Amino acid sequence: QVAFITGEPGIGKSRLVHEAEHRLQTIPVSRLRLYGTPHHQNSALYPFARLIEKLCCLDRTEPDAIKAAKFESFLFALGLGPEEKTLFDSIFRLLSNSAVTPDGTNARKHLELLLQAFLRVIEALSAQGPVLMIFEDLQWADQTSSVLLGRIVKRCSTLSLMLIATARPEYKPAWGGEPAVSEIVLAPLTAPQSAAFISLVSKRGDLRGTVSDQIIEITGGVPLFMEEATKVLIESGLLAVGANPIDPRALMTALPGNIHGALLARLEC
């Protein structure tokens, strides 16, 4: 019930997730989307807090009283009653950006309450019907979110929930060896696959030999990089018959900024 997809940037992790969602579009499931971001790696439970905001339709500019009413309605709809108020107050304090730990509660206990509260929400959602949880870019998730995700993974066998998580190869989760986890490692395309992919992107069947080989060498067989490089070369006219060999520096300069940076990082490894 857990698909853990790993691979370097541009290899096709998000594409695989998109295809999985597409195949499940006729099945009535609740979809929960979470993302790790490099700017919030030190913000505890940031992805899960943003998820709750979306589920409750919260606006960050709203007064806390309105947020509280929406949050209570959300909990009520999940069948989570007032007897667990202390537990869920911890989530609301996080949503309202309150940095103050409740009186009589130390920081460690407050964090444990948060973990339990978020887990209860996920359990309640899955009790209402099948849930597809997608967590992308785990390499940028904060440590507390990684801990919570580990608890969710351990509970997967008892929940009506499937988790699809993606990360770069350097991310090694503590829960990777759990029985419910199937890891899918995406590798660069082989030379024949890359050549076929380039022909498909360019819509030309005559891209063979030197030109195709150069694109593959520069991009390392990474699909996103090959696609962008091929498009740039077509738009620049460098793929015309009789064109000179590709200048890697000129190609790198012509690529979009985010692709240029990712490819440059790969080449420097």
Side-chain angles (χ1 to χ4, degrees):
Q1 293 180 302
V2 179
F4 179 42
I5 306 169
T6 63
E8 61 183 287
I11 204 70
K13 301 185 295 295
S14 294
R15 178 68 181 181
L16 193 56
V17 170
H18 174 78
E19 287 300 320
E21 283 195 280
H22 179 72
R23 296 191 180 194
L24 293 172
Q25 65 181 357
T26 59
I27 301 175
V29 298
S30 297
R31 289 170 170 77
L32 308 179
R33 298 197 69 98
L34 303 97
Y35 302 89
T37 64
H39 303 297
H40 297 96
Q41 288 178 281
N42 296 317
S43 300
L45 295 166
Y46 181 85
F48 287 94
R50 300 292 77 79
L51 173 64
I52 296 297
E53 281 185 343
K54 182 177 180 180
L55 293 175
C56 296
C57 300
L58 300 184
D59 185 332
R60 296 188 194 181
T61 63
E62 292 175 328
D64 282 351
I66 295 178
K67 291 180 182 178
K70 289 183 176 180
F71 185 54
E72 289 176 5
S73 295
F74 169 70
L75 295 176
F76 180 78
L78 290 179
L80 300 173
E83 66 274 7
E84 298 177 287
K85 184 178 186 301
T86 301
L87 194 63
F88 297 116
D89 277 350
S90 62
I91 291 182
F92 186 72
R93 295 178 72 84
L94 184 66
L95 297 177
S96 59
N97 297 314
S98 174
V100 180
T101 301
D103 292 339
T105 305
N106 61 38
R108 181 175 295 183
K109 183 177 180 181
H110 182 55
L111 181 59
E112 180 58 30
L113 284 174
L114 274 169
L115 293 172
Q116 291 179 23
F118 277 111
L119 186 56
R120 282 287 293 117
V121 169
I122 300 300
E123 290 172 343
L125 285 167
S126 70
Q128 293 190 333
V131 171
L132 174 63
M133 174 181 283
I134 297 171
F135 200 138
E136 296 197 66
D137 290 322
L138 270 175
Q139 73 277 355
W140 289 324
D142 62 278
Q143 185 176 358
T144 311
S145 289
S146 296
V147 171
L148 176 55
L149 195 63
R151 295 192 183 187
I152 293 172
V153 169
K154 290 183 178 181
R155 291 296 314 277
C156 268
S157 61
T158 62
L159 301 177
S160 180
L161 180 146
M162 179 177 184
L163 169 65
I164 301 177
T166 71
R168 294 182 182 179
E170 63 269 21
Y171 181 79
K172 306 296 183 184
W175 44 263
E178 290 290 328
V181 178
S182 297
E183 183 172 1
I184 302 170
V185 180
L186 300 184
L189 299 182
T190 63
Q193 290 172 334
S194 296
F197 181 80
I198 291 169
S199 293
L200 181 65
V201 171
S202 65
K203 298 180 181 179
R204 290 173 52 168
D206 59 345
L207 287 182
R208 295 288 187 272
T210 303
V211 172
S212 182
D213 290 345
Q214 282 186 287
I215 295 174
I216 296 169
E217 181 180 359
I218 294 169
T219 61
V222 176
L224 178 61
F225 299 160
M226 287 194 293
E227 180 179 10
E228 293 296 330
T230 302
K231 289 179 179 177
V232 165
L233 290 170
I234 291 173
E235 292 169 0
S236 65
L238 292 177
L239 289 185
V241 176
N244 294 324
I246 300 167
D247 181 353
R249 290 172 298 181
L251 174 58
M252 292 283 288
T253 302
L255 289 170
N258 60 326
I259 303 298
H260 175 275
L263 182 53
L264 186 62
R266 187 182 193 279
L267 294 174
E268 290 177 345
C269 290

